[in-house]
Amino acid sequence: MVFDHAGRYLYISTSDGLVEPYNLSTGQLEPVYYAGKALWGIDITPDDSFLLAAENNTANSQGTFHKIDLHTGAITDINYPLTNGEGGAWDVAIGANGIALVTTSRPVTGSGVVPLRQIDLATNSVTIRNDVTPVTP
């Protein structure tokens, strides 16, 4: 879950692939965004223009983060290649500099390390950070 910075909405990600906006003024859920399957971590940009949601499912040796435009409802899939048998996307933290730091779940084998990735939100490019030591989740 994440609150927008304007204090109007609480966005809730679900294991069914939905992002549900809860209007804090009316106390009502508003129309949902269907982003994918099994969403975990979620964060919002400092200007409240879009959300980034982590999908825990993988396919074709790739994981996915979903960028949801809160003005148009458009959803952009941001894919990345899996390494070392890692699982799907797990968590998201968006910085004020236009970079999101993202993590993935434990390797499906149950042991090993997962890399810390960053997403450039202007270009949607995903890179592995080499300035940190990977850790076992």
Coordinates of all heavy atoms in Angstrom, one line a residue, residues 11-106:
Y11 N -3.4 3.7 -2.3 CA -3.4 2.7 -3.4 C -3.0 1.3 -2.8 O -2.0 1.2 -2.1 CB -2.4 3.1 -4.4 CG -2.8 4.3 -5.2 CD1 -2.4 5.6 -4.8 CD2 -3.7 4.2 -6.3 CE1 -2.8 6.7 -5.5 CE2 -4.1 5.4 -6.9 CZ -3.7 6.6 -6.5 OH -4.1 7.8 -7.2
I12 N -3.8 0.3 -3.0 CA -3.6 -1.0 -2.5 C -3.3 -2.0 -3.6 O -4.1 -2.1 -4.5 CB -4.9 -1.4 -1.7 CG1 -5.2 -0.4 -0.7 CG2 -4.7 -2.8 -1.1 CD1 -6.7 -0.5 -0.2
S13 N -2.2 -2.7 -3.5 CA -1.9 -3.7 -4.5 C -2.4 -5.1 -4.0 O -2.3 -5.3 -2.8 CB -0.4 -3.8 -4.8 OG 0.3 -4.1 -3.7
T14 N -2.9 -5.9 -4.9 CA -3.5 -7.2 -4.4 C -2.8 -8.4 -5.1 O -2.1 -8.2 -6.1 CB -5.0 -7.3 -4.8 OG1 -5.1 -7.5 -6.2 CG2 -5.7 -6.0 -4.3
S15 N -3.0 -9.5 -4.5 CA -2.4 -10.8 -5.1 C -3.2 -11.2 -6.3 O -2.8 -12.1 -7.0 CB -2.5 -11.9 -4.0 OG -3.8 -12.1 -3.6
D16 N -4.3 -10.5 -6.6 CA -5.0 -10.8 -7.9 C -4.6 -9.9 -9.1 O -5.2 -9.9 -10.1 CB -6.5 -10.5 -7.7 CG -7.1 -11.5 -6.7 OD1 -6.6 -12.6 -6.6 OD2 -8.1 -11.1 -6.0
G17 N -3.5 -9.1 -8.8 CA -3.0 -8.2 -9.9 C -3.7 -6.9 -10.0 O -3.5 -6.2 -11.0
L18 N -4.5 -6.5 -9.0 CA -5.2 -5.2 -9.0 C -4.5 -4.2 -8.2 O -3.8 -4.5 -7.2 CB -6.6 -5.4 -8.5 CG -7.5 -6.4 -9.1 CD1 -8.8 -6.5 -8.4 CD2 -7.7 -6.1 -10.6
V19 N -4.6 -2.9 -8.6 CA -4.3 -1.8 -7.8 C -5.6 -1.1 -7.5 O -6.3 -0.6 -8.4 CB -3.3 -0.8 -8.4 CG1 -3.1 0.4 -7.6 CG2 -2.0 -1.5 -8.6
E20 N -6.0 -1.0 -6.2 CA -7.3 -0.5 -5.8 C -7.1 0.9 -5.2 O -6.5 1.0 -4.1 CB -8.0 -1.4 -4.9 CG -8.3 -2.8 -5.5 CD -8.9 -3.7 -4.5 OE1 -8.8 -3.5 -3.2 OE2 -9.5 -4.7 -5.0
P21 N -7.6 2.0 -5.8 CA -7.5 3.3 -5.2 C -8.6 3.5 -4.2 O -9.8 3.4 -4.6 CB -7.6 4.3 -6.4 CG -7.8 3.5 -7.6 CD -8.1 2.1 -7.2
Y22 N -8.2 3.8 -3.0 CA -9.2 4.1 -1.9 C -9.2 5.6 -1.7 O -8.2 6.2 -1.4 CB -8.8 3.4 -0.6 CG -9.8 3.6 0.5 CD1 -11.0 3.0 0.6 CD2 -9.4 4.5 1.5 CE1 -11.9 3.3 1.6 CE2 -10.3 4.8 2.6 CZ -11.5 4.2 2.6 OH -12.4 4.4 3.7
N23 N -10.4 6.2 -2.0 CA -10.5 7.7 -1.9 C -10.7 8.0 -0.4 O -11.7 7.6 0.3 CB -11.7 8.1 -2.7 CG -11.9 9.6 -2.7 OD1 -11.7 10.3 -1.7 ND2 -12.1 10.2 -3.9
L24 N -9.8 8.7 0.2 CA -9.8 9.0 1.6 C -10.9 10.0 2.0 O -11.4 10.0 3.1 CB -8.4 9.6 2.1 CG -7.3 8.6 1.9 CD1 -5.9 9.2 2.1 CD2 -7.4 7.4 2.9
S25 N -11.3 10.8 1.1 CA -12.4 11.8 1.3 C -13.8 11.1 1.4 O -14.6 11.4 2.2 CB -12.4 12.9 0.3 OG -11.2 13.6 0.3
T26 N -14.0 10.2 0.4 CA -15.3 9.6 0.3 C -15.4 8.3 1.1 O -16.5 7.8 1.3 CB -15.7 9.4 -1.2 OG1 -14.8 8.4 -1.7 CG2 -15.7 10.7 -2.0
G27 N -14.3 7.7 1.4 CA -14.3 6.4 2.0 C -14.7 5.3 1.1 O -15.2 4.3 1.5
Q28 N -14.5 5.5 -0.2 CA -14.9 4.5 -1.2 C -13.8 4.1 -2.1 O -12.8 4.8 -2.3 CB -16.0 5.2 -2.2 CG -17.2 5.7 -1.5 CD -18.1 4.5 -1.1 OE1 -18.2 3.5 -1.8 NE2 -18.8 4.7 0.0
L29 N -13.8 2.8 -2.5 CA -12.9 2.3 -3.5 C -13.3 2.9 -4.9 O -14.5 3.0 -5.2 CB -12.9 0.8 -3.6 CG -12.2 0.1 -2.4 CD1 -12.4 -1.4 -2.5 CD2 -10.7 0.4 -2.4
E30 N -12.4 3.3 -5.7 CA -12.6 3.8 -7.0 C -12.3 2.8 -8.0 O -11.7 1.7 -7.7 CB -11.9 5.1 -7.2 CG -12.4 6.2 -6.3 CD -12.1 7.6 -6.7 OE1 -11.3 7.8 -7.6 OE2 -12.5 8.5 -6.0
P31 N -12.5 3.0 -9.3 CA -12.2 2.0 -10.3 C -10.8 1.5 -10.2 O -9.8 2.3 -10.1 CB -12.5 2.7 -11.7 CG -13.5 3.7 -11.3 CD -13.2 4.2 -9.9
V32 N -10.6 0.2 -10.4 CA -9.3 -0.4 -10.2 C -8.5 -0.4 -11.5 O -9.0 -0.2 -12.6 CB -9.4 -1.9 -9.7 CG1 -10.2 -1.9 -8.4 CG2 -10.1 -2.7 -10.7
Y33 N -7.2 -0.6 -11.3 CA -6.2 -0.8 -12.4 C -5.9 -2.3 -12.4 O -5.5 -2.8 -11.3 CB -4.9 0.0 -12.2 CG -5.2 1.5 -12.1 CD1 -5.3 2.1 -10.8 CD2 -5.3 2.3 -13.2 CE1 -5.4 3.5 -10.7 CE2 -5.5 3.7 -13.1 CZ -5.6 4.3 -11.8 OH -5.8 5.6 -11.7
Y34 N -5.9 -2.9 -13.5 CA -5.5 -4.3 -13.6 C -4.1 -4.3 -14.2 O -4.0 -4.1 -15.4 CB -6.4 -5.2 -14.4 CG -6.0 -6.6 -14.5 CD1 -6.0 -7.5 -13.3 CD2 -5.4 -7.1 -15.6 CE1 -5.5 -8.7 -13.4 CE2 -4.9 -8.4 -15.7 CZ -5.0 -9.2 -14.5 OH -4.5 -10.5 -14.6
A35 N -3.1 -4.6 -13.4 CA -1.7 -4.5 -13.8 C -1.1 -5.8 -14.2 O -0.2 -5.9 -15.1 CB -0.9 -3.8 -12.7
G36 N -1.5 -6.9 -13.6 CA -0.9 -8.2 -13.9 C -1.4 -9.2 -12.9 O -2.6 -9.3 -12.7
K37 N -0.5 -10.0 -12.4 CA -0.8 -11.0 -11.4 C 0.1 -10.9 -10.2 O 1.2 -10.4 -10.3 CB -0.5 -12.4 -12.1 CG -1.2 -12.7 -13.3 CD -0.8 -14.0 -14.0 CE -1.4 -14.2 -15.3 NZ -0.8 -15.3 -16.0
A38 N -0.5 -11.2 -9.1 CA 0.3 -11.3 -7.8 C 1.2 -10.1 -7.6 O 2.4 -10.2 -7.6 CB 1.1 -12.6 -7.7
L39 N 0.6 -8.9 -7.3 CA 1.4 -7.7 -7.1 C 1.8 -7.7 -5.6 O 1.1 -8.1 -4.7 CB 0.5 -6.5 -7.4 CG 0.0 -6.4 -8.8 CD1 -0.7 -5.1 -9.0 CD2 1.2 -6.4 -9.8
W40 N 3.1 -7.3 -5.4 CA 3.6 -7.1 -4.1 C 3.9 -5.7 -3.8 O 3.0 -4.9 -3.6 CB 4.9 -8.0 -3.9 CG 4.6 -9.5 -4.0 CD1 4.9 -10.3 -5.1 CD2 3.9 -10.3 -3.1 NE1 4.5 -11.6 -4.8 CE2 3.8 -11.6 -3.6 CE3 3.3 -10.0 -1.9 CZ2 3.2 -12.6 -3.0 CZ3 2.7 -11.1 -1.2 CH2 2.7 -12.4 -1.8
G41 N 5.1 -5.3 -3.8 CA 5.5 -3.9 -3.4 C 4.9 -2.9 -4.4 O 4.8 -3.2 -5.6
I42 N 4.7 -1.7 -3.9 CA 4.2 -0.6 -4.8 C 4.7 0.7 -4.2 O 4.9 0.9 -3.0 CB 2.6 -0.6 -4.8 CG1 2.0 0.3 -5.8 CG2 2.1 -0.4 -3.4 CD1 0.6 0.1 -6.0
D43 N 5.0 1.7 -5.1 CA 5.4 3.0 -4.7 C 4.9 4.0 -5.7 O 4.5 3.7 -6.8 CB 6.9 3.1 -4.5 CG 7.3 4.3 -3.5 OD1 6.4 4.9 -2.9 OD2 8.5 4.5 -3.3
I44 N 4.8 5.3 -5.3 CA 4.3 6.4 -6.1 C 5.4 7.4 -6.3 O 6.2 7.7 -5.4 CB 3.0 7.0 -5.4 CG1 2.3 7.9 -6.4 CG2 3.4 7.6 -4.1 CD1 0.8 8.2 -5.9
T45 N 5.4 8.1 -7.5 CA 6.3 9.1 -7.8 C 6.0 10.3 -6.9 O 4.9 10.6 -6.5 CB 6.3 9.5 -9.2 OG1 5.0 9.9 -9.6 CG2 6.8 8.4 -10.1
P46 N 7.0 11.2 -6.6 CA 6.8 12.3 -5.8 C 5.8 13.3 -6.3 O 5.1 14.0 -5.5 CB 8.2 13.0 -5.8 CG 9.2 11.9 -6.0 CD 8.5 11.0 -6.9
D47 N 5.5 13.3 -7.6 CA 4.5 14.2 -8.2 C 3.2 13.5 -8.3 O 2.2 14.1 -8.9 CB 5.0 14.8 -9.5 CG 5.1 13.8 -10.6 OD1 4.9 12.6 -10.3 OD2 5.5 14.1 -11.7
D48 N 3.0 12.3 -7.8 CA 1.8 11.6 -7.9 C 1.3 11.3 -9.3 O 0.1 11.0 -9.5 CB 0.6 12.3 -7.1 CG 0.9 12.3 -5.6 OD1 1.6 11.5 -5.1 OD2 0.3 13.3 -5.0
S49 N 2.2 11.2 -10.3 CA 1.8 11.0 -11.6 C 1.7 9.5 -12.0 O 0.9 9.2 -12.8 CB 2.7 11.7 -12.6 OG 4.0 11.2 -12.5
F50 N 2.5 8.7 -11.4 CA 2.3 7.2 -11.6 C 2.8 6.4 -10.5 O 3.5 6.9 -9.6 CB 3.0 6.8 -12.9 CG 4.4 7.0 -13.0 CD1 5.3 6.0 -12.5 CD2 5.0 8.1 -13.5 CE1 6.7 6.1 -12.6 CE2 6.4 8.3 -13.6 CZ 7.2 7.3 -13.1
L51 N 2.4 5.1 -10.5 CA 2.8 4.1 -9.5 C 3.7 3.1 -10.2 O 3.6 2.9 -11.4 CB 1.6 3.3 -9.1 CG 0.5 4.0 -8.3 CD1 -0.8 3.1 -8.2 CD2 0.9 4.5 -7.0
L52 N 4.5 2.5 -9.4 CA 5.3 1.4 -9.9 C 5.0 0.2 -9.0 O 5.1 0.3 -7.8 CB 6.8 1.7 -9.8 CG 7.8 0.8 -10.6 CD1 7.5 0.9 -12.1 CD2 9.2 1.3 -10.4
A53 N 4.6 -0.9 -9.6 CA 4.1 -2.1 -8.9 C 5.0 -3.3 -9.3 O 5.3 -3.5 -10.4 CB 2.7 -2.4 -9.2
A54 N 5.3 -4.1 -8.3 CA 6.1 -5.3 -8.5 C 5.2 -6.5 -8.6 O 4.4 -6.8 -7.8 CB 7.1 -5.5 -7.3
E55 N 5.4 -7.3 -9.7 CA 4.7 -8.5 -10.0 C 5.5 -9.7 -9.6 O 6.6 -9.8 -10.1 CB 4.2 -8.6 -11.4 CG 3.4 -9.9 -11.7 CD 2.9 -10.0 -13.1 OE1 2.5 -9.0 -13.7 OE2 2.8 -11.2 -13.5
N56 N 5.0 -10.5 -8.8 CA 5.8 -11.7 -8.3 C 5.8 -12.8 -9.3 O 6.7 -13.7 -9.2 CB 5.2 -12.2 -6.9 CG 6.2 -13.1 -6.3 OD1 5.9 -14.3 -6.2 ND2 7.3 -12.6 -5.8
N57 N 5.0 -12.9 -10.3 CA 5.0 -13.9 -11.3 C 6.1 -13.7 -12.3 O 6.5 -12.5 -12.5 CB 3.7 -14.0 -12.0 CG 2.6 -14.6 -11.1 OD1 2.7 -14.6 -9.9 ND2 1.5 -15.1 -11.7
T58 N 6.6 -14.7 -12.8 CA 7.6 -14.6 -13.9 C 7.2 -15.4 -15.1 O 6.4 -16.3 -15.0 CB 9.0 -15.2 -13.4 OG1 8.9 -16.6 -13.1 CG2 9.5 -14.4 -12.2
A59 N 7.7 -15.1 -16.3 CA 7.4 -15.8 -17.5 C 8.6 -15.7 -18.5 O 9.2 -14.6 -18.5 CB 6.1 -15.4 -18.1
N60 N 8.9 -16.7 -19.2 CA 10.0 -16.6 -20.2 C 11.3 -16.1 -19.7 O 11.9 -15.3 -20.4 CB 9.5 -15.8 -21.4 CG 8.2 -16.3 -22.0 OD1 8.0 -17.5 -22.2 ND2 7.3 -15.4 -22.3
S61 N 11.7 -16.5 -18.5 CA 12.9 -16.1 -17.9 C 13.0 -14.6 -17.6 O 14.1 -14.0 -17.6 CB 14.1 -16.5 -18.7 OG 14.2 -17.9 -18.8
Q62 N 11.8 -14.0 -17.4 CA 11.8 -12.5 -17.2 C 10.8 -12.2 -16.0 O 9.9 -13.0 -15.7 CB 11.2 -11.7 -18.4 CG 12.2 -11.7 -19.5 CD 11.6 -10.8 -20.6 OE1 10.5 -10.5 -20.8 NE2 12.6 -10.2 -21.3
G63 N 11.1 -11.2 -15.3 CA 10.2 -10.6 -14.3 C 9.7 -9.3 -14.8 O 10.2 -8.8 -15.8
T64 N 8.7 -8.7 -14.1 CA 8.0 -7.5 -14.6 C 7.7 -6.6 -13.4 O 7.2 -7.0 -12.4 CB 6.7 -7.9 -15.3 OG1 7.0 -8.8 -16.4 CG2 6.1 -6.7 -15.9
F65 N 7.9 -5.3 -13.7 CA 7.4 -4.2 -12.9 C 6.4 -3.5 -13.8 O 6.6 -3.5 -15.0 CB 8.5 -3.3 -12.4 CG 9.4 -3.9 -11.4 CD1 10.5 -4.5 -11.8 CD2 9.1 -3.7 -10.0 CE1 11.4 -5.1 -10.8 CE2 9.9 -4.3 -9.1 CZ 11.0 -5.0 -9.5
H66 N 5.3 -3.0 -13.2 CA 4.3 -2.3 -14.0 C 4.3 -0.8 -13.6 O 4.1 -0.5 -12.4 CB 2.9 -2.9 -13.7 CG 2.8 -4.4 -14.0 ND1 2.7 -4.9 -15.2 CD2 2.8 -5.4 -13.1 CE1 2.7 -6.2 -15.2 NE2 2.8 -6.5 -13.9
K67 N 4.4 0.0 -14.6 CA 4.3 1.5 -14.4 C 2.9 1.9 -14.8 O 2.5 1.8 -15.9 CB 5.4 2.1 -15.3 CG 5.5 3.6 -15.1 CD 6.7 4.1 -16.0 CE 6.9 5.6 -16.0 NZ 7.9 6.0 -16.9
I68 N 2.2 2.5 -13.8 CA 0.8 2.8 -14.0 C 0.6 4.3 -14.0 O 0.9 5.0 -13.0 CB -0.1 2.2 -12.9 CG1 0.1 0.7 -12.8 CG2 -1.6 2.6 -13.1 CD1 -0.5 0.1 -11.6
D69 N 0.2 4.9 -15.2 CA 0.0 6.3 -15.3 C -1.3 6.7 -14.6 O -2.4 6.2 -15.0 CB -0.1 6.7 -16.8 CG -0.1 8.2 -17.0 OD1 -1.0 8.9 -16.3 OD2 0.6 8.7 -17.9
L70 N -1.3 7.5 -13.6 CA -2.5 7.7 -12.8 C -3.4 8.8 -13.5 O -4.6 9.0 -13.1 CB -2.1 8.2 -11.4 CG -1.4 7.1 -10.6 CD1 -1.0 7.7 -9.2 CD2 -2.3 5.9 -10.3
H71 N -2.9 9.4 -14.5 CA -3.8 10.4 -15.3 C -4.5 9.7 -16.4 O -5.7 10.0 -16.6 CB -2.9 11.5 -15.8 CG -2.2 12.3 -14.8 ND1 -2.8 13.0 -13.8 CD2 -0.9 12.4 -14.5 CE1 -1.9 13.6 -13.0 NE2 -0.7 13.2 -13.4
T72 N -3.9 8.8 -17.1 CA -4.5 8.1 -18.2 C -5.0 6.7 -18.0 O -5.8 6.1 -18.7 CB -3.6 8.1 -19.4 OG1 -2.5 7.2 -19.1 CG2 -3.1 9.5 -19.8
G73 N -4.4 6.0 -17.0 CA -4.7 4.6 -16.7 C -3.8 3.7 -17.5 O -3.9 2.5 -17.4
A74 N -2.9 4.2 -18.4 CA -2.1 3.4 -19.2 C -1.1 2.7 -18.3 O -0.6 3.2 -17.3 CB -1.3 4.3 -20.2
I75 N -0.8 1.4 -18.7 CA 0.1 0.6 -17.9 C 1.2 0.1 -18.8 O 1.0 -0.4 -19.9 CB -0.6 -0.6 -17.3 CG1 -1.7 -0.2 -16.4 CG2 0.4 -1.6 -16.6 CD1 -2.6 -1.3 -15.8
T76 N 2.5 0.4 -18.4 CA 3.7 0.0 -19.2 C 4.4 -1.1 -18.4 O 4.7 -0.9 -17.2 CB 4.6 1.2 -19.3 OG1 3.9 2.3 -20.0 CG2 5.9 0.8 -20.1
D77 N 4.6 -2.2 -19.1 CA 5.3 -3.3 -18.4 C 6.8 -3.0 -18.6 O 7.3 -2.7 -19.7 CB 5.0 -4.6 -19.1 CG 3.6 -5.1 -18.8 OD1 3.0 -4.5 -17.8 OD2 3.1 -5.9 -19.5
I78 N 7.6 -3.1 -17.5 CA 9.0 -3.0 -17.5 C 9.6 -4.3 -17.1 O 9.5 -4.8 -16.0 CB 9.5 -1.9 -16.5 CG1 8.8 -0.6 -16.9 CG2 11.0 -1.8 -16.5 CD1 9.0 0.5 -15.8
N79 N 10.2 -5.0 -18.1 CA 10.7 -6.4 -17.9 C 12.2 -6.4 -17.7 O 12.9 -5.5 -18.1 CB 10.4 -7.2 -19.2 CG 8.9 -7.4 -19.4 OD1 8.2 -7.7 -18.5 ND2 8.5 -7.2 -20.6
Y80 N 12.6 -7.4 -17.0 CA 14.1 -7.6 -16.7 C 14.4 -9.0 -16.7 O 13.5 -9.9 -16.4 CB 14.4 -7.0 -15.3 CG 13.7 -7.7 -14.2 CD1 14.3 -8.7 -13.5 CD2 12.4 -7.3 -13.8 CE1 13.6 -9.4 -12.5 CE2 11.7 -7.9 -12.8 CZ 12.3 -9.0 -12.2 OH 11.6 -9.6 -11.2
P81 N 15.6 -9.4 -17.1 CA 16.0 -10.8 -17.1 C 16.3 -11.3 -15.7 O 16.8 -10.7 -14.9 CB 17.2 -10.9 -18.0 CG 17.8 -9.5 -17.8 CD 16.7 -8.6 -17.6
L82 N 15.8 -12.6 -15.5 CA 16.1 -13.2 -14.2 C 17.5 -13.7 -14.1 O 18.1 -14.1 -15.1 CB 15.1 -14.4 -14.0 CG 13.6 -14.0 -14.0 CD1 12.8 -15.3 -13.9 CD2 13.3 -13.1 -12.8
T83 N 18.1 -13.6 -13.0 CA 19.5 -14.1 -12.8 C 19.5 -15.1 -11.6 O 18.7 -15.0 -10.7 CB 20.5 -13.0 -12.5 OG1 20.1 -12.4 -11.2 CG2 20.5 -11.9 -13.6
N84 N 20.4 -16.1 -11.7 CA 20.6 -17.0 -10.6 C 19.3 -17.7 -10.1 O 19.2 -18.0 -8.9 CB 21.3 -16.3 -9.4 CG 22.6 -15.7 -9.8 OD1 23.4 -16.3 -10.6 ND2 23.0 -14.6 -9.2
G85 N 18.4 -17.9 -11.0 CA 17.2 -18.6 -10.6 C 16.3 -17.8 -9.7 O 15.4 -18.4 -9.0
E86 N 16.4 -16.5 -9.6 CA 15.6 -15.7 -8.7 C 14.1 -15.7 -9.1 O 13.7 -16.1 -10.2 CB 16.1 -14.2 -8.7 CG 15.8 -13.5 -10.0 CD 16.5 -12.1 -10.1 OE1 16.4 -11.3 -9.1 OE2 17.0 -11.8 -11.1
G87 N 13.3 -15.4 -8.1 CA 11.9 -15.3 -8.3 C 11.5 -14.0 -8.8 O 12.3 -13.2 -9.4
G88 N 10.2 -13.7 -8.7 CA 9.6 -12.5 -9.3 C 9.9 -11.2 -8.5 O 10.6 -11.2 -7.5
A89 N 9.4 -10.1 -9.0 CA 9.6 -8.8 -8.4 C 9.0 -8.8 -7.0 O 8.0 -9.4 -6.8 CB 9.0 -7.7 -9.3
W90 N 9.6 -8.0 -6.1 CA 9.2 -8.1 -4.7 C 8.9 -6.7 -4.2 O 7.8 -6.5 -3.6 CB 10.3 -8.7 -3.9 CG 9.9 -8.9 -2.5 CD1 10.3 -8.2 -1.4 CD2 9.1 -9.9 -2.0 NE1 9.7 -8.7 -0.3 CE2 9.0 -9.8 -0.6 CE3 8.4 -11.0 -2.6 CZ2 8.2 -10.6 0.2 CZ3 7.7 -11.8 -1.8 CH2 7.6 -11.6 -0.4
D91 N 9.8 -5.7 -4.3 CA 9.5 -4.4 -3.7 C 10.1 -3.3 -4.5 O 10.9 -3.5 -5.4 CB 10.1 -4.4 -2.3 CG 9.4 -3.4 -1.3 OD1 8.4 -2.8 -1.8 OD2 9.7 -3.3 -0.2
V92 N 9.6 -2.1 -4.2 CA 9.9 -0.9 -5.0 C 10.1 0.3 -4.1 O 9.3 0.5 -3.1 CB 8.7 -0.6 -6.0 CG1 8.9 0.7 -6.8 CG2 8.4 -1.7 -6.9
A93 N 11.0 1.1 -4.4 CA 11.2 2.4 -3.7 C 11.6 3.5 -4.7 O 12.7 3.3 -5.4 CB 12.3 2.3 -2.6
I94 N 10.8 4.5 -4.9 CA 11.0 5.5 -5.9 C 11.6 6.7 -5.2 O 11.1 7.2 -4.2 CB 9.7 5.9 -6.6 CG1 9.1 4.8 -7.4 CG2 10.0 7.1 -7.6 CD1 7.8 5.0 -8.0
G95 N 12.8 7.2 -5.8 CA 13.4 8.4 -5.2 C 13.0 9.6 -6.0 O 12.5 9.6 -7.0
A96 N 13.4 10.8 -5.4 CA 13.0 12.1 -6.0 C 13.9 12.3 -7.2 O 13.5 13.2 -8.0 CB 13.2 13.2 -4.9
N97 N 14.9 11.5 -7.5 CA 15.8 11.7 -8.6 C 15.3 11.0 -9.9 O 16.1 11.0 -10.9 CB 17.2 11.3 -8.2 CG 17.3 9.8 -7.9 OD1 16.3 9.1 -7.8 ND2 18.5 9.4 -7.7
G98 N 14.1 10.4 -9.9 CA 13.7 9.7 -11.0 C 14.2 8.3 -11.2 O 14.0 7.7 -12.2
I99 N 14.8 7.8 -10.1 CA 15.3 6.4 -10.1 C 14.5 5.6 -9.1 O 14.3 6.1 -8.0 CB 16.8 6.4 -9.7 CG1 17.6 7.2 -10.8 CG2 17.3 5.0 -9.6 CD1 17.7 6.6 -12.1
A100 N 14.1 4.4 -9.5 CA 13.5 3.5 -8.5 C 14.4 2.4 -8.2 O 15.1 1.8 -9.1 CB 12.2 2.9 -9.1
L101 N 14.6 2.0 -7.0 CA 15.4 0.9 -6.6 C 14.4 -0.3 -6.4 O 13.3 -0.1 -5.7 CB 16.1 1.1 -5.3 CG 17.2 2.2 -5.4 CD1 17.9 2.4 -4.0 CD2 18.2 1.9 -6.4
V102 N 14.7 -1.4 -6.9 CA 13.7 -2.5 -6.9 C 14.5 -3.8 -6.5 O 15.6 -4.0 -6.8 CB 13.0 -2.7 -8.3 CG1 12.2 -1.5 -8.6 CG2 14.1 -2.9 -9.4
T103 N 13.7 -4.7 -5.9 CA 14.2 -6.0 -5.5 C 13.3 -7.1 -6.0 O 12.2 -6.9 -6.4 CB 14.3 -6.1 -3.9 OG1 13.0 -6.0 -3.4 CG2 15.3 -5.1 -3.4
T104 N 13.9 -8.3 -5.9 CA 13.1 -9.5 -6.4 C 13.1 -10.5 -5.2 O 13.8 -10.3 -4.2 CB 13.8 -10.2 -7.6 OG1 15.2 -10.5 -7.3 CG2 13.8 -9.2 -8.8
S105 N 12.3 -11.5 -5.4 CA 12.2 -12.5 -4.3 C 13.3 -13.6 -4.4 O 14.0 -13.7 -5.4 CB 10.8 -13.2 -4.4 OG 10.6 -13.8 -5.6
R106 N 13.3 -14.3 -3.3 CA 14.4 -15.3 -3.2 C 14.4 -16.3 -4.4 O 13.3 -16.5 -5.0 CB 14.0 -16.1 -1.9 CG 14.9 -17.3 -1.6 CD 14.5 -18.1 -0.4 NE 14.2 -17.2 0.7 CZ 15.2 -17.0 1.7 NH1 16.4 -17.5 1.6 NH2 14.9 -16.2 2.7

